Amino acid sequence: MATKQLPQIAILGAGIFVKTQYLPRLSEISHLFILKSIWSRTQESATAAVDIARKHFPQVETKWGDNGFDDIIHDGSIDAVAVVLAGQNQVDISLRLLKAGKHVLQEKPAASCTSELEAALSSYKSISSDAPGQLIWSVAENYRFEPGLVECKKLIAGIGKMMSVQVIIEGSMNSSNPYFSSSWRRNFTGGFILDMGVHFIAGLRMLVGCEIVSVSAMTSHVDLTLPPPDNISSVFHLENGCSGVFVMVVSSRSPKTLWRVVGLNGTLQVERGFQGQHGYLVSFYGTDGQNKSSFFPFSGVTEELKAFINDVSEITLKKRNQFVTEPRLSYVEGARDVAVLEAMLESGARQGELVRLKKF
Ligand SMILES: *[C@@H]1O[C@H](CO)[C@@H](O)[C@H](O)[C@H]1NC(C)=O
Ligand SMILES: *[C@@H]1O[C@H](CO)[C@@H](O)[C@H](O)[C@H]1NC(C)=O
Ligand SMILES: *[C@@H]1O[C@H](CO)[C@@H](O)[C@H](O)[C@H]1NC(C)=O
Ligand SMILES: *[C@@H]1O[C@H](CO)[C@@H](O)[C@H](O)[C@H]1NC(C)=O
Ligand SMILES: CC(=O)N[C@H]1CO[C@H](CO)[C@@H](O)[C@@H]1O
């Protein structure tokens, strides 16, 4: 019997996102890799995640604590590791894994601030230059893989010269949300604005296809059950000369996720919706007064995981030298999302002063 070689991966983390997203989505593509182990700080939480995973990955091992982490680091059969931990610890752990020669898919945000991003990128550079082959450090940002946003990227040229951009986010991060009590998100500078906001900035950057050069913002703390700030209103300026607004309320009674770009020849809008499934409704309004809409169900997490596993397979199994990895997964892309929000938060702390973006 021919045995097809598959990359072997481990997951670090056994929280809500691993149990409700990683494991179900990975099970859809279980023919593409072998899930070797799941690690958590405590045996109890690692076991709870492994119990869920066993249905699709019968051979998965339970690892916990310092010893379990060392086992993963020293296990030469593990090609890649998904790091799905508290935002404050991810960079440190990712760098330790990279040093051990593992490819890493780290959950967003890429880091908690730009000084950490700078240090991270310089460590990665030196680790990579010592590594015998190509070493991947990816940031898992599913919005860059959402079919609705990918479709918009294809349509954007049709609106002609860009005149205005709006990003309106009214979240529903109240006590019914499973992440509401997450302690690390509450102990994060920028609170939910940074942790959730990187998704919407990723969508914005992808849609407009150029970088943000400067921002000005007002922030406030209104809902005292949330960490500060919980709302932000920002003006941003794009490299292409166009400007726009980014408004985000962490917890509202009116859930809304919308990007809208108005151009000389048309308008493109993408809005979260529900048509039997959750997804994005993409609408194009043309010069002839016509509008066209299509609905794209969510599948960003699956697509992003598939892309990472493909990159790992190409490099470790097919030994393809100088293989060009998926650009939407690159660490630098994740870094740029964080830099935009940090600049907005910084401007907010200084009553709207114009802040120029750090370039990554
Ligand atoms: C915008 O519309 C004008 C006039 O209809 C046309 O000449 C031009 O090519 C269009 N530009 C784009 C980018 O579609
Ligand atoms: C919050 O973060 C600080 C600094 O990152 C850390 O020293 C502290 O232990 C954290 N507290 C909690 C409750 O996680
Ligand atoms: C939280 O927000 C959702 C969506 O708006 C709403 O259905 C739910 O009732 C809210 N829960 C609380 C406790 O306010
Ligand atoms: C889009 O066009 C349809 C007719 O083709 C019309 O019924 C609808 O109101 C239009 N929607 C908007 C937002 O203009
Ligand atoms: C920056 C900003 O928009 N702040 C607003 C946050 O929400 C409260 C309550 O609606 C407003 O008073 C603030 O102006």
Side-chain angles (χ1 to χ4, degrees), residues 88 183-184 187-188:
Q88 291 89 338
S183 58
W184 72 262
N187 193 21
F188 210 50

Side-chain angles (χ1 to χ4, degrees), residues 260 269 283-285 289-293:
R260 188 175 168 94
Q269 172 174 303
S283 309
F284 184 89
Y285 306 87
Q290 295 289 331
N291 68 65
K292 276 181 252 137
S293 291

Side-chain angles (χ1 to χ4, degrees), residues 171-177 251-255:
S172 52
M173 186 49 72
N174 58 37
S175 57
S176 314
N177 190 296
S251 180
S252 71
R253 294 267 162 197
S254 46

Side-chain angles (χ1 to χ4, degrees), residues 217-222 230-234 247-249:
M218 293 290 201
T219 51
S220 66
H221 191 201
V222 182
D230 67 324
N231 66 51
I232 185 163
S233 299
S234 177
V247 177
M248 179 174 172
V249 176

Side-chain angles (χ1 to χ4, degrees), residues 85-357:
L85 298 169
Q88 291 89 338
N89 307 333
Q90 294 197 127
V91 168
D92 225 40
I93 301 268
S94 295
L95 287 170
R96 285 174 65 189
L97 291 160
L98 288 162
K99 252 179 226 155
K102 310 290 184 205
H103 301 294
V104 171
L105 175 70
Q106 181 201 302
E107 256 311 308
K108 42 65 54 179
S112 51
C113 58
T114 47
S115 57
E116 192 182 22
L117 291 173
E118 277 160 1
L121 281 164
S122 103
S123 301
Y124 179 40
K125 208 168 153 192
S126 78
I127 296 168
S128 300
S129 65
D130 290 343
Q134 200 175 339
L135 202 50
I136 311 169
W137 189 3
S138 291
V139 167
E141 174 48 79
N142 52 305
Y143 279 46
R144 280 189 262 278
F145 291 83
E146 279 308 336
L149 289 163
V150 171
E151 174 69 9
C152 282
K153 200 175 162 57
K154 288 185 205 146
L155 297 176
I156 194 84
I159 69 165
K161 196 173 165 54
M162 220 177 267
M163 297 196 284
S164 163
V165 186
Q166 298 163 50
V167 184
I168 312 289
I169 311 298
E170 294 165 32
S172 52
M173 186 49 72
N174 58 37
S175 57
S176 314
N177 190 296
Y179 300 102
F180 181 77
S181 307
S182 155
S183 58
W184 72 262
R185 289 181 177 82
R186 294 180 165 269
N187 193 21
F188 210 50
T189 311
F192 286 105
I193 296 270
L194 182 65
D195 179 54
M196 293 157 59
V198 285
H199 285 312
F200 311 119
I201 298 296
L204 164 65
R205 290 182 48 249
M206 175 159 152
L207 212 58
V208 297
C210 69
E211 296 302 329
I212 294 164
V213 288
S214 62
V215 300
S216 168
M218 293 290 201
T219 51
S220 66
H221 191 201
V222 182
D223 184 342
L224 300 181
T225 66
L226 294 164
D230 67 324
N231 66 51
I232 185 163
S233 299
S234 177
V235 174
F236 55 81
H237 310 276
L238 299 174
E239 243 168 11
N240 66 6
C242 181
S243 56
V245 294
F246 173 82
V247 177
M248 179 174 172
V249 176
V250 173
S251 180
S252 71
R253 294 267 162 197
S254 46
K256 190 176 190 70
T257 303
L258 170 114
W259 295 261
R260 188 175 168 94
V261 187
V262 183
L264 213 45
N265 287 12
T267 296
L268 185 61
Q269 172 174 303
V270 53
E271 180 167 18
R272 187 179 165 148
F274 186 83
Q275 293 194 3
Q277 314 172 60
H278 291 281
Y280 286 117
L281 181 66
V282 174
S283 309
F284 184 89
Y285 306 87
T287 30
D288 50 5
Q290 295 289 331
N291 68 65
K292 276 181 252 137
S293 291
S294 318
F295 188 77
F296 297 84
F298 288 148
S299 69
V301 176
T302 312
E303 295 304 321
E304 144 213 293
L305 292 168
K306 215 193 273 176
F308 177 72
I309 290 166
N310 182 58
D311 281 353
V312 171
S313 299
E314 291 290 335
I315 287 173
T316 62
L317 304 177
K318 300 189 189 158
K319 308 259 184 261
R320 288 188 52 188
N321 248 351
Q322 300 307 313
F323 172 72
V324 180
T325 55
E326 171 58 58
R328 287 174 292 172
L329 284 173
S330 80
Y331 188 85
V332 168
E333 285 293 322
R336 289 175 182 150
D337 298 334
V338 172
V340 172
L341 280 161
E342 189 181 84
M344 287 177 178
L345 292 165
E346 196 180 315
S347 173
R350 292 196 254 129
Q351 282 74 48
E353 197 177 295
L354 191 75
V355 173
R356 300 211 142 264
L357 263 287

